[in-house]
Amino acid sequence: MSFFISPRSSRSATKKIVLLGKTGSGKSSLANTICGETLFPVNLSVSSETKTCETKTKLVHGHDFSLIDTPGFFDTNMPEDDLKSEIVKCIVECASGVHAFLIVLKWERFTDQGQDVINKIRSYFPDEALKYAVVVFTHGDQLPEGKKIEDFISQNNAVNDLVEKCGGRCHIIDNKYWNKESGEEYRTNQFQVEAILDTINRMVIGNGGKGYTNEMLKELERRIQEEEKATRQRMVYKRCFIV
């Protein structure tokens, strides 16, 4: 992990935020948009630029935030077991706990792979962890004018269920086109970043100021190990069936 240390804020303790999502969903770009500068590398190719978890700490709107970028789900150049191990390692290293998980989804008609991402997140993270999660959609320029993301959540059962499990917390952002003044305040990154951080702060207060702690993280690690075991058993079964 690499660290960029900003001056300590006297207003609040540092909040640790882990970004999760599919390769190409815009995780790294979202982290840069929140930070207000390019701290995380961004690659426009189909393979993930992020191979290991990377942390940057930045003072944003009077609060210190440590943003932790993770390898993308379905990274074409990273074995599944390596991906799981890296994400678990990254989360477990947050000794004081994770204050927020940002589940990053690309705003688009959901493909089978998009559905698989949600299913994978639900299999990795118990409902208890989703009490610390916020769903953030990227590519907001594709959102019809005059509409808000909440207008469309119910149109996809998997998305709607995920957002409900996250306490209804969801936002949309555009890392490319919403950086300028717009006639619609909702469609600006400045408005959305403030809204995301406000949601995180309110969520932290609602969780008693505590993060997703080490004991909870051990349970998460156990669930992922069980998923790995089940995957290996399915692979053995398939090989036996083919033979």
Side-chain angles (χ1 to χ4, degrees), residues 31-94:
N32 289 332
T33 297
I34 292 174
C35 290
E37 61 178 309
T38 303
L39 298 178
F40 295 89
V42 176
N43 192 334
L44 300 179
S45 69
V46 295
S47 61
S48 175
E49 179 72 18
T50 308
K51 301 301 180 185
T52 59
C53 294
E54 188 170 0
T55 302
K56 308 290 183 182
T57 301
K58 183 73 186 290
L59 180 65
V60 184
H61 295 291
H63 297 271
D64 274 330
F65 292 94
S66 286
L67 286 94
I68 304 163
D69 195 10
T70 62
F73 293 121
F74 300 103
D75 182 351
T76 54
N77 294 326
M78 192 170 191
E80 179 78 1
D81 288 348
D82 291 348
L83 167 64
K84 293 176 180 177
S85 297
E86 182 61 28
I87 289 177
V88 169
K89 182 182 73 174
C90 134
I91 296 174
V92 171
E93 284 184 3
C94 297

Side-chain angles (χ1 to χ4, degrees), residues 214-230:
N214 276 341
E215 287 304 314
M216 298 174 179
L217 292 169
K218 289 177 182 178
E219 171 63 15
L220 172 59
E221 185 173 14
R222 184 190 65 79
R223 288 173 65 98
I224 292 179
Q225 288 174 346
E226 286 182 353
E227 177 66 19
E228 290 177 343
K229 182 179 179 181

Side-chain angles (χ1 to χ4, degrees), residues 27 86 106 111 152 154 174 180 202 207 229 231:
K27 291 186 295 83
E86 182 61 28
K106 184 177 179 181
T111 61
F152 295 91
S154 62
D174 190 277
K180 299 179 180 180
R202 289 175 181 272
N207 289 326
K229 182 179 179 181
T231 300

Side-chain angles (χ1 to χ4, degrees), residues 8 13 16-17 29 77 85 89 102 123 126 129-130 141 161 213 239:
R8 293 287 301 176
K16 295 182 175 66
I17 303 172
S29 294
N77 294 326
S85 297
K89 182 182 73 174
L102 293 188
S123 69
L130 297 182
D141 65 305
D161 182 60
T213 63
R239 286 197 294 267

